[in-house]
């Protein structure tokens, strides 16, 4: 699974509607409304790199009110949740 973190600038008067539109797209797992330079951060998860082009410039960037995107592709994922799940395999409560 390939994970991309997409930083998104939007029309500030439409952030909730734009976030909902992005969150409803296939391959988008979460959308966060944030402070700072960007208005939204979307987590995109796909099986192949080519799918990133379909999702990010092909769908996210075409949503009315999306002004710019900046995409970062993850090399590895480190998660406390994943570690806890791995250590609990086979344990009965």
């Amino acid at each position: 699974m390939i994970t991309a973190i997409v930083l998104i600038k939007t029309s500030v008067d439409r952030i909730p509607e734009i976030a909902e539109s992005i969150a409803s797209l296939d391959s988008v797992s979460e959308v966060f409304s944030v402070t700072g330079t960007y208005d939204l951060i979307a987590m995109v998860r796909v099986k192949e790199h080519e799918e990133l082009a379909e999702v990010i410039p092909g769908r996210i960037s075409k949503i009315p009110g999306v002004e710019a995107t900046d995409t970062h592709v993850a090399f590895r994922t480190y998660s406390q949740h994943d570690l806890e799940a791995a250590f609990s395999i086979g344990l009965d409560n």
Side-chain angles (χ1 to χ4, degrees):
M1 185 69 60
I2 299 162
T3 301
I5 299 96
V6 185
L7 309 175
I8 306 165
K9 289 186 181 183
T10 68
S11 302
V12 293
D13 60 332
R14 297 196 56 241
I15 291 173
E17 296 86 358
I18 295 167
E20 288 177 16
S21 294
I22 294 170
S24 71
L25 297 174
D26 290 339
S27 303
V28 175
S29 59
E30 298 99 12
V31 178
F32 303 94
S33 177
V34 297
T35 62
T37 306
Y38 294 91
D39 303 302
L40 300 171
I41 297 175
M43 302 299 289
V44 176
R45 300 183 199 304
V46 295
K47 292 182 181 180
E48 299 189 22
H49 280 97
E50 291 80 13
E51 294 175 79
L52 292 174
E54 295 171 18
V55 175
I56 300 164
R59 295 189 200 137
I60 292 176
S61 293
K62 291 184 179 176
I63 292 174
V66 171
E67 297 173 355
T69 62
D70 185 8
T71 302
H72 300 263
V73 177
F75 292 127
R76 271 190 196 141
T77 301
Y78 301 91
S79 166
Q80 184 64 32
H81 175 74
D82 294 339
L83 291 174
E84 289 172 3
F87 284 112
S88 67
I89 292 174
L91 296 178
D92 293 325
N93 291 333

